[in-house]
Amino acid sequence: MEKATFAGGCFWCMVTPFEEQPGIESIVSGYTGGHVDDPTYEQVKTGTTGHYEVVEITFDPTLFAYERLLELYWIQTDPTDDGGQFQDRGSQYAPAIFYHTEEQRVQAEQSRDALEASGRFKQPIVTKILPADTFYPAEEYHQDFHKKNPAHYKEDRKKSGRDAFIEQAW
């Protein structure tokens, strides 16, 4: 098993695209990249801890390759917006790929460069590619939020503009 860690705005919306894929063992919402040990959601959402909201995916690369995870990742985000994602604004919601191995770094950079070269976006791709840092799982009520609170999740996702962007841009 390997790990992949992605920041793409609100972590609630970053779970569902990956969860039904073959070889995905688990998806945990959490925080990484900051300077506060064991941060809480209340701390991270202020944007002062340096953490990103992320999903940490444990997967079997023989069943679902990292390259395929990257393909799914890109189409969940606006890779040209480093000020957050959709309605979620601030550095804690900025897009980033956190690599766990040198091979992941190379693959992430290659996929970013290919997206840039594709001409799909008129603005530059600003998604950061960073080394994986300590991962802190989010509070239990954030885990599988879309299953625990489906009405709230669907309303929040619709209001965010994420789905409209995905449909238009991808």
Side-chain angles (χ1 to χ4, degrees):
M1 292 293 179
E2 292 184 18
K3 295 203 181 292
T5 304
F6 300 127
C10 175
F11 45 39
W12 297 345
C13 292
M14 292 299 293
V15 172
T16 55
F18 298 100
E19 72 180 347
E20 299 296 326
Q21 303 302 323
I24 304 299
E25 180 179 288
S26 67
I27 304 169
V28 180
S29 297
Y31 319 109
T32 196
H35 58 271
V36 173
D37 290 339
D38 202 22
T40 66
Y41 175 71
E42 294 302 317
Q43 291 172 309
V44 172
K45 77 177 186 176
T46 67
T48 60
T49 68
H51 290 89
Y52 291 76
E53 279 197 16
V54 297
V55 289
E56 184 181 74
I57 302 168
T58 302
F59 68 103
D60 181 341
T62 65
L63 297 175
F64 204 84
Y66 185 69
E67 294 94 339
R68 290 186 62 206
L69 286 172
L70 289 167
E71 290 169 8
L72 264 179
Y73 168 76
W74 288 116
I75 62 174
Q76 306 312 310
T77 69
D78 177 351
T80 67
D81 185 358
D82 63 358
Q85 291 290 280
F86 312 105
Q87 73 177 355
D88 298 308
R89 309 310 303 160
S91 60
Q92 68 274 33
Y93 299 113
I97 297 168
F98 292 87
Y99 60 87
H100 292 263
T101 66
E102 182 63 14
E103 182 180 2
Q104 284 187 356
R105 181 191 66 76
V106 168
Q107 291 172 342
E109 289 176 355
Q110 288 173 342
S111 71
R112 178 200 56 209
D113 295 348
L115 180 58
E116 183 81 57
S118 76
R120 178 177 293 275
F121 296 98
K122 294 187 185 345
Q123 298 171 308
I125 304 302
V126 296
T127 300
K128 291 183 178 144
I129 298 173
L130 303 167
D133 200 352
T134 304
F135 173 78
Y136 299 98
E139 295 79 356
E140 184 55 35
Y141 70 92
H142 288 297
Q143 307 304 328
D144 294 317
F145 187 85
H146 64 292
K147 293 178 183 174
K148 295 174 184 172
N149 299 287
H152 182 112
Y153 169 75
K154 287 176 186 171
E155 180 181 329
D156 188 68
R157 186 169 173 116
K158 184 176 181 180
K159 282 190 329 188
S160 78
R162 182 184 297 262
D163 291 333
F165 176 84
I166 290 169
E167 186 175 318
Q168 182 270 327
W170 295 98

